[in-house]
Amino acid sequence: MARTDPAELTRVRFWRWRRNPLRRHSDVVEARIVLVTWTLALLGGTFAGQAAATGVDQALAARRAAVHTVAAALAEDASKIPPSTTGVDDGKVWAKVRWTTADGVTHTAKTKAEPGAAAGTRVTAWADSTGNLVSKPPTVAQAKLEAVGTGLLVVSGAGSTALAGGWLVRRRLLRRRLAEWDAEWKRVGPQWRNLSGGKG
């Protein structure tokens, strides 16, 4: 005959939501706090993450739309040794380039080029609406990846914040409940000892 765990006999699912003589007002409040906390963590985190991902994706799309490519030529030999930099290194070096706009004006500026490229080598640069050279915008795939990464970070952050807030509220409720139990025991305890003949 299989043995039954005593904990299984005393466990009642959703007991805080059911009417019973042992349920207190604080139990109902705690059940609602748990429900609200998980709702905020799941739904709120999801909406916040989706909004963040959409915002990043739209911002990067606007950046792509605001720049255009420029056919330029190196005005000097590019250094053969890439400078040591901190952060992401794409292996390219900064070199001066020259290009002529549609209105016939010649511009010079610095952009990234392959190390060791000789003067006169054609390079593709990126310029904004004012004609200033800017960094290459992320591709559609790179922008999607960045948007998804940002969305996931916001989801986890918002969800964790909601769960932490719910935990703090429940902890405060528990302290209040323990204080109420202590006050009740101080009131009932002496009467119980008197009924048991003063023992205990």
Side-chain angles (χ1 to χ4, degrees), residues 33-200:
I33 289 171
V34 170
L35 178 63
V36 169
T37 298
W38 279 103
T39 301
L40 286 176
L42 296 175
L43 295 180
T46 300
F47 289 140
Q50 187 175 13
T54 301
V56 169
D57 192 40
Q58 289 175 347
L60 294 178
R63 184 179 169 203
R64 282 194 306 274
V67 298
H68 59 278
T69 57
V70 173
L74 287 176
E76 61 184 6
D77 292 341
S79 170
K80 294 187 178 181
I81 302 175
S84 58
T85 59
T86 57
V88 179
D89 184 6
D90 59 3
K92 295 187 176 182
V93 297
W94 288 97
K96 186 182 290 185
V97 294
R98 183 177 292 116
W99 75 98
T100 303
T101 57
D103 56 5
V105 179
T106 300
H107 299 271
T108 58
K110 284 198 169 186
T111 191
K112 286 193 169 185
E114 295 294 335
T121 302
R122 305 295 290 180
V123 295
T124 299
W126 292 84
D128 60 17
S129 58
T130 63
N132 295 322
L133 292 189
V134 295
S135 59
K136 180 181 177 181
T139 64
V140 174
Q142 291 170 335
K144 290 291 183 190
L145 185 62
E146 187 172 341
V148 168
T150 301
L152 290 176
L153 282 175
V154 172
V155 165
S156 61
S160 298
T161 301
L163 291 176
W167 179 81
L168 289 173
V169 172
R170 288 180 67 196
R171 186 174 174 85
R172 184 174 179 183
L173 183 65
L174 176 61
R175 283 200 303 264
R176 181 178 173 184
R177 184 186 305 151
L178 291 175
E180 289 174 355
W181 284 348
D182 187 48
E184 286 184 25
W185 178 249
K186 286 179 181 176
R187 181 175 54 83
V188 175
Q191 298 173 7
W192 187 34
R193 281 194 288 272
N194 291 337
L195 290 174
S196 62
K199 296 180 180 179

